[in-house]
């Protein structure tokens, strides 16, 4: 063994020992993966909720369901409240048909997920956006019996709300409240509803994060979860005025099938990286291969092939999207996008808020852009007219585009 090889081996051992030391002393990273699995104690698992279900429903039995709803509900003797909590739920047509039959004969289904689009129940969600510089979102119950308490969840999340409901069969149970930096309410939208179907009900919630370990243990947010679930823990009255029997709603059917974080091993690599000894063996092997490539490469230099860089497809993509809108003749949609981009242009370039369009706003835009105040008023009058129409012509769209481009092209003399 020559001196040079000994140096290389010593360097490799030193690097490996350094990595082992760093890994052993550094704090374990928090896993924020949204698994929603009952066995996971990570922040976005549902271990706490699953453990507390018997205390939240003292008169009901909690049963874990590891089958998909289509297979489980084929047995019509299965009754209770089917409980779904996950990051996203996509039921198949036949599967949701079984859920409809399940509810129609007097059972309940509780679904908490980000975004719900159910044509059968005439229910659709959207994401709430505001123009506030700083905003905070709160969750609250609609019924005054719960008081006017608003619960805040401190991590960022998508603000889904119900933008379309069947007003004849839907009851709003909870709301999403958004406040600005002055603590004034700037928006209030429904995010928890009950939809009657047959003899049973669907309970739909757009904020599944509230039911995770982290949020249930944060401050007094567990009270919010208890309030939400109180609707399905209370016996419902049937058409005759009597409460439902024990067979129909005496069991909470906890869905353990539809979970973002599956209980099983997704791949061999997942198993290797989740087992510390195998993970270290894998990393050491990678480092050894890296050293081999470096030292071997010094002896055998190979020609590096010329790789043609990928073409910029941005322009082609833009043309494709533009042609789609043009072929559909959806002039109104194009105009709305054009207006939104123009308002964003004013906010970014001239540092002006577009929340309130008034005389003071016209003066500020005129002084900063160099355009005349009359020209700016005419432009925003066009925008207002287009926004008030349900459909516009191609000539209206061309006129709007020309007015905006003339505004941007103007330069101070």
């Amino acid at each position: 063994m020559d001196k040079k090889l000994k140096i290389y081996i010593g360097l490799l051992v030193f690097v490996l020992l350094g990595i082992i030391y760093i890994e052993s002393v550094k704090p374990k990273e928090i896993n924020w993966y949204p698994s929603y699995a009952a066995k996971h104690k990570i922040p976005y698992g549902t271990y706490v909720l699953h453990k507390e279900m018997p205390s939240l429903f003292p008169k009901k039995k909690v049963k874990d369901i590891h089958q998909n709803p289509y297979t489980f509900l084929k047995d019509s003797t299965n009754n209770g409240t089917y409980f779904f909590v996950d990051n996203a739920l996509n039921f198949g047509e036949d599967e949701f048909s079984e859920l409809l039959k399940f509810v129609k004969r007097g059972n309940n289904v509780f679904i908490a997920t980000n975004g719900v689009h159910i044509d059968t129940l005439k229910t659709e969600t959207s994401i709430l956006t505001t123009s506030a510089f700083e905003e905070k979102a709160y969750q609250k119950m609609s019924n005054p019996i719960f008081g006017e308490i608003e619960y805040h969840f401190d991590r960022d999340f998508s603000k889904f709300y119900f933008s379309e409901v069947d007003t004849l069969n839907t009851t709003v149970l909870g709301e999403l409240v958004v406040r600005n930096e002055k603590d004034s309410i700037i928006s209030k939208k429904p995010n928890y509803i009950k939809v009657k179907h047959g003899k049973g009900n669907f309970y739909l919630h757009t904020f599944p994060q509230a039911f995770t370990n982290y949020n249930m243990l944060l401050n007094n947010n567990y009270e919010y979860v208890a309030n939400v679930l109180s609707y399905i823990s209370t016996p419902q009255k049937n058409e005759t005025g009597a409460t439902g029997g024990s067979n129909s709603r005496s069991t909470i059917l906890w869905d353990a099938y539809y979970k973002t974080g599956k209980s099983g091993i997704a791949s061999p690599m997942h198993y290797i990286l989740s087992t510390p000894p195998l993970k270290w063996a894998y990393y050491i092997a990678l480092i050894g291969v890296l050293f081999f490539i470096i030292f071997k490469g010094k002896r055998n230099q190979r020609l590096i092939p010329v790789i043609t860089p990928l073409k910029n497809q941005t322009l082609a993509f833009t043309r494709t999207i533009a042609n789609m809108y043009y072929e559909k003749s959806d002039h109104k949609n194009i105009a709305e996008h054009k207006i939104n981009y123009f308002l964003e242009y004013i906010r970014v370039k001239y540092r002006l808020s577009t929340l309130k369009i008034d005389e003071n706003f016209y003066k500020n835009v005129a002084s900063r852009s160099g355009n005349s105040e009359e020209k700016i008023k005419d432009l925003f009058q066009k925008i207002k007219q287009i926004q008030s129409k349900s459909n516009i012509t191609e000539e209206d769209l061309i006129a709007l585009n020309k007015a905006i481009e003339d505004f941007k092209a103007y330069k101070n003399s």
Side-chain angles (χ1 to χ4, degrees):
M1 184 181 293
D2 58 13
K3 184 177 180 181
K4 191 173 183 181
L5 182 57
K6 290 181 180 179
I7 294 174
Y8 288 154
I9 294 176
L11 181 61
L12 176 60
V13 172
F14 176 77
V15 171
L16 291 177
L17 291 176
I19 293 175
I20 293 173
Y21 174 75
I22 293 173
E23 288 290 332
S24 63
V25 299
K26 75 175 185 179
K28 188 177 180 180
E29 294 183 1
I30 298 176
N31 183 2
W32 290 100
Y33 180 70
S35 76
Y36 293 91
K39 62 176 283 187
H40 289 167
K41 298 181 181 180
I42 59 177
Y44 282 168
T46 54
Y47 175 83
V48 174
L49 176 62
H50 188 266
K51 185 178 180 181
E52 294 299 321
M53 288 296 274
S55 61
L56 291 170
F57 301 97
K59 297 182 180 180
K60 296 177 183 289
K61 177 184 176 182
V62 179
K63 179 180 178 182
D64 291 349
I65 307 301
H66 296 277
Q67 296 176 294
N68 63 70
Y70 178 79
T71 303
F72 178 73
L73 295 178
K74 275 299 182 181
D75 182 356
S76 61
T77 62
N78 290 323
N79 294 302
T81 297
Y82 218 141
F83 194 88
F84 296 89
V85 177
D86 196 22
N87 193 47
L89 287 167
N90 295 298
F91 298 111
E93 184 177 345
D94 293 336
E95 195 170 40
F96 194 74
S97 177
E98 290 298 325
L99 284 173
L100 290 172
K101 295 176 185 176
F102 176 73
V103 173
K104 190 173 183 179
R105 64 176 184 256
N107 298 289
N108 295 325
V109 170
F110 179 90
I111 299 175
T113 186
N114 290 311
V116 179
H117 302 276
I118 305 175
D119 293 336
T120 309
L121 302 179
K122 300 179 182 179
T123 302
E124 186 173 340
T125 57
S126 300
I127 297 179
L128 176 63
T129 57
T130 69
S131 55
F133 182 71
E134 292 183 5
E135 63 180 30
K136 291 181 71 175
Y138 299 84
Q139 314 285 327
K140 69 182 291 290
M141 304 300 293
S142 299
N143 196 323
I145 196 173
F146 296 106
E148 294 299 321
I149 302 175
E150 296 178 355
Y151 298 88
H152 177 61
F153 298 83
D154 62 353
R155 295 185 67 83
D156 291 334
F157 58 87
S158 298
K159 303 173 186 64
F160 284 96
Y161 70 95
F162 289 99
S163 56
E164 181 179 331
V165 297
D166 181 1
T167 55
L168 294 177
N169 296 305
T170 301
T171 304
V172 175
L173 305 179
E175 297 171 320
L176 169 66
V177 180
V178 179
R179 295 178 178 272
N180 60 15
E181 60 275 10
K182 297 179 181 179
D183 204 34
S184 299
I185 296 178
I186 56 177
S187 186
K188 184 186 292 186
K189 300 289 185 181
N191 73 336
Y192 181 34
I193 61 174
K194 179 179 75 172
V195 184
K196 183 174 178 57
H197 183 73
K199 297 180 180 179
N201 301 289
F202 280 90
Y203 294 88
L204 307 178
H205 201 291
T206 64
F207 185 48
Q209 293 89 343
F211 305 91
T212 58
N213 301 328
Y214 174 80
N215 286 319
M216 281 197 65
L217 299 176
L218 179 67
N219 301 325
N220 62 337
N221 288 344
Y222 65 91
E223 294 178 359
Y224 174 73
V225 175
N227 293 340
V228 168
L229 299 184
S230 66
Y231 280 98
I232 59 176
S233 65
T234 304
Q236 306 294 315
K237 292 185 177 181
N238 57 28
E239 294 177 357
T240 63
T243 57
S246 59
N247 291 332
S248 62
R249 294 187 176 92
S250 61
T251 305
I252 299 296
L253 305 171
W254 176 280
D255 167 60
Y257 180 84
Y258 277 118
K259 289 290 178 286
T260 304
K262 293 289 186 182
S263 301
I265 297 172
S267 67
M269 184 58 66
H270 180 273
Y271 178 73
I272 291 172
L273 296 179
S274 62
T275 308
L278 293 178
K279 181 177 72 172
W280 279 110
Y282 176 71
Y283 287 153
I284 291 172
L286 287 181
I287 294 172
V289 171
L290 178 62
F291 272 93
F292 174 80
I293 293 173
I294 292 174
F295 298 136
K296 186 71 175 177
K298 290 182 177 180
R299 298 182 179 181
N300 301 322
Q301 294 290 340
R302 295 182 179 179
L303 295 176
I304 300 175
V306 178
I307 300 176
T308 305
L310 297 175
K311 296 181 180 180
N312 189 341
Q313 299 293 334
T314 304
L315 183 59
F317 175 78
T318 305
R319 285 175 176 169
T320 301
I321 297 300
N323 288 335
M324 289 174 60
Y325 277 106
Y326 180 77
E327 290 173 2
K328 291 176 63 179
S329 298
D330 194 355
H331 305 310
K332 171 68 173 181
N333 200 351
I334 299 174
E336 290 288 352
H337 285 297
K338 192 74 178 176
I339 292 169
N340 289 335
Y341 292 144
F342 175 62
L343 295 177
E344 179 67 14
Y345 172 83
I346 290 178
R347 289 193 292 268
V348 173
K349 185 173 180 63
Y350 300 119
R351 306 294 183 185
L352 292 173
S353 172
T354 58
L355 280 177
K356 187 175 182 181
I357 310 298
D358 54 13
E359 292 296 326
N360 189 41
F361 173 81
Y362 296 142
K363 291 179 182 178
N364 288 334
V365 174
S367 63
R368 299 191 186 189
S369 67
N371 288 273
S372 67
E373 192 171 336
E374 290 75 15
K375 183 177 180 180
I376 294 170
K377 287 182 179 179
D378 290 340
L379 172 56
F380 278 89
Q381 185 63 31
K382 283 188 177 67
I383 291 175
K384 185 176 181 181
Q385 291 174 353
I386 288 176
Q387 289 176 329
S388 65
K389 297 179 179 179
S390 58
N391 293 293
I392 62 172
T393 64
E394 184 177 357
E395 289 73 21
D396 292 336
L397 178 60
I398 293 173
L400 172 65
N401 182 70
K402 185 177 185 305
I404 292 176
E405 294 303 320
D406 289 344
F407 173 87
K408 292 181 178 180
Y410 188 86
K411 296 182 179 179
N412 293 324
S413 58

